[in-house]
Amino acid sequence: MLVRIKAASLNYRDLLILRGQLGKAREGLIPFSDGAGEVAAVGAEVTRWRVGDRVAPLFYPDWTAGRFREAYGPAALGGGDADGVLADLVVMPETALVRIPQSLSFEEAATLPCAGLTAWHALVVRGGLGQGDTVLVQGTGGVALFGLQFATALKARTIVLSSSDEKRKRATELGAWKTANYRTTPEWDVEVRRVTDNIGVSHILELGGPDTFDRSLRALAAAGHIAQIGVFTGFGPQSNLIRLQLINASIDGINVGSGEHFAAMSDFIDAHAIKPIIDKRFAFAEVPAAYDELASGRHFGKLVIQL
């Protein structure tokens, strides 16, 4: 398959790769895992797609369905030795592509392969999120806002943490039930328990890492679920997990999702008219500025490159 990429989006992983924090990448590596475009040409044996179909490459090209296997890891787009999607044209096997939601533009769909799918896998596939649940979301980046939007569509309550009162206001406009400023309220776990009548939250998108995990454990309700996703505060020692046992809670490591998960998410996005939040759009020549913007943490939602 030859795919003409129309848009690509940045993830925190891309910044870590650029900095060499996820190991040494191949010289000349084409970056970015997330993009969307249209089929430009098909091989003689291709049966799934036609020229003009709107598609997105899978973050893990080999993870089409079923359980994750460690063997899928080295092929993750835009890292190690595997070229990504920041290119006019990319060649992919037909099984490594998924159809993008009909209701989304290429720019919007380019935010889905990692950020959108991670939130979907964490809350819906592994978490079983439903009406009446309460979700704690850390920050207002791509995964966090997708989590907020999916939870709102499923009639769950969401609490959003942010250091910016302006971002908290925007999160409320998107459907957040409560928000808290973790700068002015550093003991945000106490605040979370207060607003939930000391019950805690049933789901947590744990995006911070070592510096936030202890508070997440204290904010978690009995029989609750933590989705371990991010490392925004770096890499370091983990917490004592005995509390999980004491309250019959669980933790899942979440690493994007499969093509099967993507298809279900796309149907859900179309059915609920969900629009990904794009903070800024950049031209191809402005990619360095997009990396700088990502590193600054100023963004609300996703940063997109228009090709």
Side-chain angles (χ1 to χ4, degrees), residues 57-234:
L58 288 172
F59 182 99
Y60 288 111
D62 299 322
W63 192 13
T64 57
R67 294 183 177 182
F68 182 76
R69 298 179 182 178
E70 285 192 56
Y72 298 157
L77 299 182
D81 289 321
D83 282 328
V85 299
L86 190 62
D88 295 304
L89 294 162
V90 298
V91 176
M92 304 287 293
E94 66 173 340
T95 54
L97 299 171
V98 287
R99 197 175 304 278
I100 61 176
Q102 295 179 356
S103 58
L104 300 188
S105 67
F106 287 117
E107 290 82 3
E108 292 166 336
T111 69
L112 298 178
C114 180
L117 191 53
T118 295
W120 176 264
H121 185 196
L123 292 176
V124 180
V125 179
R126 302 278 282 278
L129 180 69
Q131 184 173 354
D133 285 341
T134 305
V135 182
L136 176 65
V137 171
Q138 298 172 349
T140 54
V143 176
L145 292 189
F146 275 117
L148 168 60
Q149 290 176 293
F150 293 151
T152 300
L154 289 167
K155 302 187 185 307
R157 303 185 304 180
T158 307
I159 302 172
V160 176
L161 302 179
S162 175
S163 61
S164 164
D165 289 337
E166 174 59 29
K167 290 181 179 179
R168 290 171 58 205
K169 178 181 177 183
R170 294 177 68 181
T172 299
E173 292 169 352
L174 279 176
W177 173 59
K178 301 285 185 182
T179 67
N181 187 319
Y182 62 82
R183 297 284 188 205
T184 58
T185 310
E187 295 184 344
W188 47 262
D189 52 317
V190 176
E191 176 65 10
V192 167
R193 297 199 72 89
R194 184 188 69 80
V195 300
T196 57
D197 297 324
N198 204 37
I199 293 174
V201 292
S202 46
H203 297 267
I204 297 177
L205 286 184
E206 174 50 60
L207 300 168
D211 290 358
T212 59
F213 202 87
D214 283 340
R215 294 198 185 280
S216 290
L217 284 172
R218 293 194 288 269
L220 190 64
H225 169 248
I226 293 177
Q228 174 60 42
I229 298 168
V231 290
F232 288 132
T233 64

Side-chain angles (χ1 to χ4, degrees), residues 18-75:
L18 182 69
R19 292 171 171 171
Q21 291 176 265
L22 293 182
K24 184 174 177 58
R26 174 175 52 78
E27 184 71 21
L29 180 78
I30 297 173
F32 293 14
S33 61
D34 287 18
E38 62 184 12
V39 175
V42 299
E45 297 181 10
V46 169
T47 59
R48 299 187 183 190
W49 306 103
R50 297 179 179 179
V51 172
D53 283 346
R54 291 162 27 98
V55 296
L58 288 172
F59 182 99
Y60 288 111
D62 299 322
W63 192 13
T64 57
R67 294 183 177 182
F68 182 76
R69 298 179 182 178
E70 285 192 56
Y72 298 157

